[in-house]
Amino acid sequence: MTRRTRVLPALAAGSGEVAFVTRGWSETFEHDLTWNEHSHPFHELLWNERGASTAVVGSRVWTVTPSLGLWMPAGTMHSGSAIAGTWCRAIFFAYGTMTPISPAPAGVEITPLLRLLLERLADAELPAGSRAVTEAMVLDVLAPSSHELLLHVPTSGLLRPIAEAVRDDPGDPRTLADWASQLGVSARTISRAFNAETGTSFARWVAAVRAQHAVGLLTRGWEVDVVAEEVGYRSASAFGAAFRRTTGLTPGAFRAR
């Protein structure tokens, strides 16, 4: 599959003149696409109508789906990627016209109500009065959610080989004890390091890697049982339960979208 790269500039929050309060953006990608590290002068709310994309800020990697969006504050340096066939959506919010929902990137659950409001804002022909009312309603319901596909990638010398191995092969069956033996340290040392660097346990971190990888495979049309085996689950039901806990959708429902 051909991968394309799109180069965008790094712009400071509020730089330049922006002739809108909110503006919609929509694009479907024919090829796998990568964005360089860049930033925008306006805030963004990103989500997908179909498929999966990623946004990377430092050592944090978010996966964006139809049900899990991402708030990206103005001026935040980030890179990203999208899989061929993904239909990406966004609403841009002019800097200084609203109180940001978060000073840092944050996951946003795309609820049915929020989706309807965002669809309305995306209409370029929406009358000014109706747009102002809709903008106010969006800001009223828009809020960060703890429900997000976020992966903190550890970078220490101790955890880097583990992170690289699991991200290269999410089906890697090695346990905490296996890694401790291989690296010549105690399992407790690795466990403490994971909590300190990523804010979560080794097991939950692996589950997040697997969920992000599974989203990509499902987007490409892989069957659920094949994806389950590829990312290291012994059964499709076990994979389905883990995937739903992480994304809010069953694998079948996500694949149908």
Side-chain angles (χ1 to χ4, degrees), residues 6 30 32 65-66 70 85 117 122 130 136 149 155 161 163 181 184 214 217 239 243 249 253:
R6 187 172 293 180
E30 297 182 359
D32 289 357
T65 75
L70 179 64
L117 294 172
S130 297
L149 263 174
T155 58
S181 176
L217 298 180
F239 164 59
F243 189 85
L249 293 171

Side-chain angles (χ1 to χ4, degrees), residues 1-25:
M1 177 74 67
T2 302
R3 177 172 289 276
R4 304 285 177 85
T5 299
R6 187 172 293 180
V7 178
L8 298 174
L11 300 174
S15 62
E17 293 187 9
V18 176
F20 60 84
V21 175
T22 59
R23 186 179 71 187
W25 170 78

Side-chain angles (χ1 to χ4, degrees), residues 137-174:
M137 293 177 68
V138 166
L139 296 179
D140 189 49
V141 302
L142 192 58
S145 170
S146 59
H147 197 56
E148 57 184 354
L149 263 174
L150 169 61
L151 185 70
H152 290 261
V153 182
T155 58
S156 68
L158 174 62
L159 299 186
R160 189 182 299 115
I162 302 176
E164 290 177 350
V166 176
R167 295 187 75 195
D168 286 343
D169 177 16
D172 192 316
R174 280 174 285 188

Side-chain angles (χ1 to χ4, degrees), residues 21-38:
V21 175
T22 59
R23 186 179 71 187
W25 170 78
S26 175
E27 187 173 352
T28 301
F29 303 113
E30 297 182 359
H31 306 274
D32 289 357
L33 184 67
T34 298
W35 288 269
N36 67 309
E37 192 174 36
H38 63 281

Side-chain angles (χ1 to χ4, degrees), residues 25-226:
W25 170 78
S26 175
E27 187 173 352
T28 301
F29 303 113
E30 297 182 359
H31 306 274
D32 289 357
L33 184 67
T34 298
W35 288 269
N36 67 309
E37 192 174 36
H38 63 281
S39 59
H40 304 287
F42 42 75
H43 306 299
E44 295 179 288
L45 176 62
L46 306 165
W47 79 100
N48 295 328
E49 197 68 33
R50 180 180 64 245
S53 56
T54 64
V56 181
V57 178
S59 62
R60 294 170 294 169
V61 183
W62 282 267
T63 295
V64 180
T65 75
S67 61
L68 297 173
L70 179 64
W71 169 262
M72 186 66 68
T76 302
M77 292 295 293
H78 61 287
S79 58
S81 63
I83 295 170
T86 296
W87 178 3
C88 285
R89 303 286 302 275
I91 293 292
F92 304 143
F93 299 84
Y95 184 76
T97 60
M98 60 175 289
T99 300
I101 69 166
S102 171
V108 174
E109 186 175 355
I110 306 299
T111 63
L113 173 58
L114 180 56
R115 183 181 296 276
L116 285 172
L117 294 172
L118 294 175
E119 285 285 354
R120 187 169 171 80
L121 278 187
D123 181 2
E125 303 302 321
L126 188 65
S130 297
R131 177 171 294 277
V133 170
T134 307
E135 288 167 347
M137 293 177 68
V138 166
L139 296 179
D140 189 49
V141 302
L142 192 58
S145 170
S146 59
H147 197 56
E148 57 184 354
L149 263 174
L150 169 61
L151 185 70
H152 290 261
V153 182
T155 58
S156 68
L158 174 62
L159 299 186
R160 189 182 299 115
I162 302 176
E164 290 177 350
V166 176
R167 295 187 75 195
D168 286 343
D169 177 16
D172 192 316
R174 280 174 285 188
T175 64
L176 194 60
D178 293 332
W179 280 110
S181 176
Q182 182 173 329
L183 297 176
V185 297
S186 69
R188 190 174 183 181
T189 295
I190 295 177
S191 181
R192 284 178 171 175
F194 258 100
N195 275 288
E197 285 196 54
T198 70
T200 191
S201 67
F202 170 75
R204 289 184 177 179
W205 187 86
V206 171
V209 174
R210 290 176 171 180
Q212 287 196 340
H213 191 67
V215 162
L217 298 180
L218 291 167
T219 297
R220 295 187 187 280
W222 288 38
E223 295 296 335
V224 173
D225 55 344
V226 179

